Structure formats: structure tokens, C-alpha cells
Amino acid sequence: MSLKLSCPCCGHNFDPNCRRLDLQEHPVLCDTLEWTQQDDTPLQEEVQRLEGVIHRLNEERARLLQRINARRSATRRLPSELLSTIFQYAHPPIDFNTRKIATSWPGEQDPLDDTEIFQFVLCAVSRHWRQVALSTGRLWTTLSTRIDCLFADGIASLLKLYFQNSQGVPVSVELDCRAHLGTLFQLTTEERAEVISALEPIKQLVFSDYAHMIQNLIVNGLFLEWIPSITASLSRCTDLTLYWPDNAVFKQNDKHAHSLQELPCLRRLRVNYFTHFTPPQTVTILELHKMPIKMYMETLLQCPNLVQFIVHCNPFALRNADDPEPTLNEVVVRDKLEVLTWCDCSTTNAWGRAFLLHLRFPRLRELHWFGVYESDLGVDQLRNLSSFFLRLPSTVKSLELISMDGSFPYPFAILKTIFIALPNLEELRLRAFPTPCAADILGMIGYPSAALLSGDQWPGAPTVDTSVADGPKVLANLKTLFMDCYPSMWLLTARMVKMLERLHGTGAAANPFCLEFQAPMDWEEGDIERLRALETQGFEFVIMEGPHRLDLAALGSGDVNDDDVQ
């Protein structure tokens, strides 16, 4: 029997009776034979060490799995109703009332907001969690998604899933169509029709199949082909928002005029740029952005049940020479309106003058007034402004004066008229105000109205007849004064302190009185000492600089209390 040897590496057998193998001719085999003759003790020790590490890791893995099982066991014992409540607290519905709507053209973005995958994470934990999540209707009542024809089928499936899982609870939907809106105008008619056709499943779900379940609908960049779909099928829709990035969409599409009067439950309507619509009379809150003032006036006249009427505009958009002259010759009363935001352009637009002359608001509580002017006010404009403010009701509690172009050239006489006409005013807010004009307002507060003297036009600073001490005080019921002025707010600190001293001395100030600023102020040491003196005399006041409350004690030592006011 012949003796055979095996290679230690590959196990190959070879017969030693064969031709003698010259190892010098095969260096690799020579190295292998030498390696087999070495001591393998260190390698065995390393193997044992690694086996010990693996054992410890397995033990740690077992402990972690035990903790996971223990936690899952605890949640398994939770009643489904309690688990559902926890889910709702962990993922509350989107608050579309406070959510800011993007109005610019978008960049590259995913079609789905990351926050919208939370429900699906819950469904992936366990079968029990999935059942509870799918049966919790309020987890599926708000959805914000971006429309893209590349993902049309997936977005349609997502919408359908939300509608079906909402358990009959009204649904709020935000559709962001801006990504396609800009490119559609660069396509041929056939290409545009192809894109719109690809998005048809989404349109069918929102405006037809499940339209009756929608309570709040926000469409940013609505395709013109979809406008006729806004019909009575949205039978439960109480809140509708239609936004576009700019008005280029409508320059050659005036034919897309549409009436919204078929929506039976609509209460709140927000629109920008789209001037070819008719609002329903059921609307109580109307917000219009960047439209001609003619459109503002027409919608105000068409909606007798308005409680809030808010306009936001570019001052240049108000000056439309093509607008026909208004034919309004009678007084129009909006006896339900409580909140009004208006942009005064009475010097440049007949519709603006008609607003001052013919509109009445007997229940108004808040007035936000934008000032925009091209020229000095004439006698007629001064008379119209004075008459408008003098007709405001005593129910007005809050007034915000906003400068849109860096100036607010109302004569001092008009400012005085405004404040005398609003004796019950509790809140005054000055935004983007020129510092000299703000200084004049500070110089009025707390004085008897009969003591204020002035020239015919601002910026002639008001003077005070100190011999007049009796009579109604200007803004005697003021509780809050907010100031966002420029360019030099620090120039006003001394006047502010003097105003507080005057209010304390006359006993006309609310207790406590709140003075608010947009940003931190640069207080002089003398002003700080006078403020401390007011505190020691028992005058209660609060000074807010942004979200922070000013601490006079800390300010004196060089520090300011930055604790947020809860």
C-alpha cells in the first residue's frame, strides 16, 4: 500500500512514490509546509478571546431583547382606546389656521412632507398597533402633499387611504401644485393636456369621489383646468384657500372666471391674485391678497355677513388706471364686521375714496390700517379721512397703524382725530413707523385733548398748552402700546418714560401698563432710574423686548433677564 500525503491548505493528496518534488521550484508550497510546522498557540488564544467577546455580546443582546419585550408587554396591556389617545397626542393634526402658506416658486422637493409618515411608522410596530392606528380616525384627518405627475398614482393612493381611514371625521387637505404650474405654460397644448391627464386621479378623488368629506381645502398653485371642479360637491367645505405664486397665471386666462356661490357651507375664504371669482354670501371671514382695490370693494359689497375682512396688498397693485369709477352713491353698513384690515389709497384711487365716504362698521373691534401715499394730502382727502375715523364706533379696542413705504405722512391733526375718536382704545400698535411720527404720538398720550396744539401739517411737532388740565385724556384707557419704529428707536426712550410718568401722574393708565418693542432697546442710565422711581411709587408696568421681559434690576447690573414670559 502506498503512503499518501495531504496538503494542509487544500487537502490535495499526492503519492510520495511519484517523481520527487523539488521544493525550490515551488516556493508557495515551501512556505505552506514551513507554516504547518510553527506553533499555533497564539492563534488558538485569539480564537478563544473572540469567542468570549461573542458570548458577552450575545448576553448583552439578550438583555436588550428582554427590555424590548418588557416594554412591548406593557403596551400590549394598554386598552386600545388609551393607545389611540396616546397616538393622537404624539401626532396632533396639522393646524392650517396658523400654518404659513408658501407663495414663492418652489425648489426641488419631495412630494410628501416628512411629518406625514408618522402614521405609517405606528403601523409598522406591531399588528396591534397597526389595527389601533388604522382605526383612529383623527390620525388621518389632515394631509399636506406636493402634487407631482411622476408620483400621481402614489399620491392618489395616499389620499384615498386618508379619506377611508378618517372614519367619517371631516378631512383637511393641502395640495401644493406649484412644481408643475410654472412648467405648464412652457408646454404645447398636447403636452399640457398629457400632464393634466396624468393628474386626473388626484382631481377625481379630491373634487368628486371624496369631496363631501373635505372641511378645509388649501390649493397652492391650482391648475386653471381644475377651477371649474370647485362646485357644490364640496358640500361640507367651510374653509377654502386658493393661492398662486404670481398673477402671470391669469394674464391670458380671464375666461377662467368662476363663481363660488355653489359652496353651501363656506365660511372662510382666502384668495390671492385670482380676481375672477364671486364669493358666496355665507362667507364670514374673507382674506384677499394682492388684488386691485376695486376687487376688495366689490367683494366687501357682495358679502353682507362678514365678521372679518382682511386685505394684504402691494401698494403698486392698488393703482390701476383701468379701473372704472365706482357708482356707489349710498351708505353701505356692514353691521357684523368686527375685524378690518385695510390699505388706504384714497389719494390715488376713486375706490379708496368711496370706501372712506360710504362704508360704515358699527360693531368694529379691531382696525389694522396700512398707509400708502404718492403725494401730499389735499383738503378733500383730509376731510374724508377725518370723517371716516370720527364715524368709527366706540367699540374699537385695538388699532394697528402700519407704514408700507417707510413714511406715514398723516398730519398731526389726523392723528389727533384718530385718537380722540377712539376713547375706548386699549391696544395701539405702530409698525414700521418713522421715528419722528412715533415721537409725536408719544407726546399726545395722556394729555387732555384740548391741550394739544399743532400746525396744519406734520412733521410740525405738537405743542402742549399746559394751562389746560381738564377734559378727556388722549387714549385714557390704553393698556398696551407696541412700537416697531426706525431708524433710531433709542431716540424715543426718554419720551416713553415721560409718557409713563404722565400716565401715572394723571391716573389714566391701565394697571399694569404693557410697553412692547420688536427688539431690545438701548436704555440710558437716567431713563432706567426714572423707571425704577415709577416702580417704587406703585405704578405697575411691563416692558417687553421681543419675547423677553425687561428686568430693571438686572439691567442696572449690566444684565437683562432673558427668561421667556410664559
Side-chain angles (χ1 to χ4, degrees):
M1 180 176 66
S2 62
L3 177 64
K4 294 184 178 181
L5 300 178
S6 299
C7 174
C9 293
C10 65
H12 176 71
N13 297 323
F14 64 91
D15 191 347
N17 295 325
C18 296
R19 181 181 62 86
R20 183 177 179 84
L21 186 64
D22 189 354
L23 295 178
Q24 298 299 327
E25 298 178 1
H26 301 276
V28 176
L29 183 57
C30 182
D31 294 340
T32 302
L33 293 174
E34 290 179 359
W35 177 81
T36 60
Q37 296 174 359
Q38 295 177 359
D39 186 7
D40 61 355
T41 302
L43 298 178
Q44 295 294 338
E45 292 177 351
E46 180 65 14
V47 170
Q48 293 178 2
R49 186 187 70 81
L50 293 176
E51 288 178 349
V53 172
I54 293 173
H55 178 71
R56 290 195 299 273
L57 291 175
N58 284 331
E59 289 183 341
E60 181 64 22
R61 177 176 178 271
R63 285 194 295 271
L64 292 175
L65 289 175
Q66 289 176 357
R67 293 175 60 186
I68 292 174
N69 290 334
R71 292 185 178 182
R72 287 183 175 178
S73 176
T75 58
R76 290 192 188 102
R77 292 194 299 268
L78 290 176
S80 298
E81 295 79 4
L82 180 57
L83 194 58
S84 174
T85 302
I86 294 173
F87 289 169
Q88 294 178 65
Y89 272 101
H91 184 68
I94 301 173
D95 187 356
F96 288 110
N97 292 324
T98 59
R99 182 186 178 97
K100 185 177 180 180
I101 301 176
T103 56
S104 59
W105 292 101
E108 295 294 330
Q109 295 175 318
D110 295 328
L112 182 64
D113 193 329
D114 291 341
T115 59
E116 293 303 320
I117 66 173
F118 180 81
Q119 297 93 323
F120 305 102
V121 173
L122 295 178
C123 292
V125 172
S126 67
R127 183 175 63 180
H128 177 52
W129 279 37
R130 176 181 175 83
Q131 292 173 346
V132 173
L134 292 178
S135 62
T136 303
R138 294 193 178 276
L139 284 178
W140 309 90
T141 57
T142 57
L143 172 64
S144 174
T145 184
R146 302 180 183 93
I147 302 302
D148 192 324
C149 64
L150 298 178
F151 305 96
D153 292 339
I155 296 171
S157 298
L158 182 70
L159 286 166
K160 189 173 183 179
L161 180 66
Y162 269 75
F163 285 127
Q164 291 178 344
N165 289 337
S166 65
Q167 307 292 325
V169 179
V171 178
S172 298
V173 179
E174 181 183 39
L175 304 178
D176 189 346
C177 308
R178 294 173 298 155
H180 280 305
L181 189 64
T183 59
L184 285 177
F185 295 100
Q186 303 171 9
L187 302 178
T188 64
T189 303
E190 294 75 14
E191 291 171 336
R192 181 184 178 101
E194 184 178 351
V195 173
I196 296 299
S197 176
L199 299 172
E200 183 65 24
I202 299 175
K203 172 190 169 186
Q204 182 70 21
L205 287 169
V206 173
F207 295 102
S208 180
D209 296 349
Y210 295 97
H212 64 283
M213 297 182 62
I214 296 179
Q215 183 181 50
N216 183 1
L217 177 61
I218 302 171
V219 189
N220 197 352
L222 179 66
F223 305 123
L224 300 181
E225 291 84 350
W226 287 12
I227 291 178
S229 301
I230 305 176
T231 63
S233 58
L234 293 165
S235 58
R236 299 173 67 185
C237 184
T238 62
D239 195 326
L240 176 63
T241 300
L242 303 175
Y243 268 45
W244 286 268
D246 59 45
N247 63 350
V249 178
F250 304 104
K251 286 184 178 179
Q252 297 178 348
N253 293 280
D254 292 351
K255 64 180 180 179
H256 289 281
H258 186 64
S259 175
L260 302 176
Q261 294 182 341
E262 296 181 9
L263 279 63
C265 297
L266 194 63
R267 296 294 181 268
R268 182 187 184 194
L269 176 62
R270 298 185 293 176
V271 184
N272 79 332
Y273 288 122
F274 185 37
T275 59
H276 311 294
F277 75 96
T278 305
Q281 294 191 359
T282 57
V283 168
T284 58
I285 301 175
L286 183 60
E287 297 183 31
L288 304 179
H289 298 246
K290 300 179 181 179
M291 299 180 186
I293 191 170
K294 173 179 174 290
M295 188 64 188
Y296 295 156
M297 281 289 292
E298 289 179 344
T299 53
L300 182 58
L301 297 176
Q302 292 167 357
C303 301
N305 297 310
L306 286 177
V307 177
Q308 296 184 27
F309 183 60
I310 301 168
V311 301
H312 296 279
C313 55
N314 183 329
F316 300 103
L318 296 173
R319 302 159 186 152
N320 191 341
D322 298 331
D323 286 345
E325 290 290 323
T327 58
L328 186 64
N329 296 316
E330 58 184 12
V331 172
V332 177
V333 179
R334 288 291 170 260
D335 55 2
K336 298 180 181 179
L337 194 72
E338 298 182 2
V339 179
L340 172 64
T341 300
W342 187 255
C343 187
D344 179 29
C345 57
S346 58
T347 63
T348 60
N349 193 290
W351 288 90
R353 291 190 288 274
F355 173 86
L356 296 179
L357 291 173
H358 301 291
L359 271 296
R360 304 289 187 272
F361 312 104
R363 294 184 58 184
L364 194 65
R365 293 186 298 104
E366 295 182 24
L367 175 61
H368 307 266
W369 193 263
F370 289 82
V372 182
Y373 303 97
E374 285 183 334
S375 59
D376 292 335
L377 295 173
V379 176
D380 291 340
Q381 285 77 25
L382 287 173
R383 184 183 301 111
N384 294 341
L385 279 169
S386 296
S387 299
F388 174 80
F389 284 105
L390 287 172
R391 286 194 299 266
L392 289 177
S394 59
T395 55
V396 176
K397 302 292 185 179
S398 177
L399 173 65
E400 184 176 38
L401 300 177
I402 309 152
S403 172
M404 294 186 64
D405 54 6
S407 62
F408 201 83
Y410 272 175
F412 173 74
I414 293 296
L415 294 175
K416 178 181 174 181
T417 299
I418 293 174
F419 299 139
I420 292 177
L422 304 174
N424 297 321
L425 196 67
E426 297 179 355
E427 180 183 52
L428 175 62
R429 308 183 74 85
L430 307 177
R431 289 194 181 275
F433 239 64
T435 302
C437 190
D440 287 348
I441 293 176
L442 290 173
M444 284 189 280
I445 298 175
Y447 275 116
S449 57
L452 299 179
L453 305 174
S454 175
D456 294 335
Q457 293 279 352
W458 182 85
T463 58
V464 179
D465 184 356
T466 55
S467 63
V468 179
D470 299 328
K473 305 295 190 298
V474 176
L475 301 183
N477 296 299
L478 193 65
K479 297 179 180 179
T480 301
L481 174 61
F482 172 87
M483 304 188 70
D484 172 24
C485 307
Y486 66 91
S488 304
M489 278 287 290
W490 63 271
L491 295 174
L492 300 176
T493 55
R495 284 182 176 264
M496 295 173 196
V497 176
K498 188 173 182 180
M499 176 198 70
L500 292 176
E501 292 173 338
R502 186 164 58 249
L503 291 174
H504 175 55
T506 58
N511 209 3
F513 186 87
C514 184
L515 189 59
E516 300 181 9
F517 304 101
Q518 183 79 7
M521 296 285 291
D522 186 11
W523 297 91
E524 298 288 342
E525 184 61 32
D527 297 332
I528 298 173
E529 294 301 325
R530 292 164 65 187
L531 290 173
R532 291 200 187 104
L534 286 173
E535 280 189 333
T536 58
Q537 295 169 16
F539 181 46
E540 296 185 27
F541 60 91
V542 175
I543 298 178
M544 302 294 299
E545 296 180 335
H548 309 296
R549 177 172 178 170
L550 183 69
D551 188 334
L552 292 177
L555 186 64
S557 60
D559 300 320
V560 178
N561 183 8
D562 287 338
D563 293 336
D564 290 346
V565 176
Q566 301 298 325

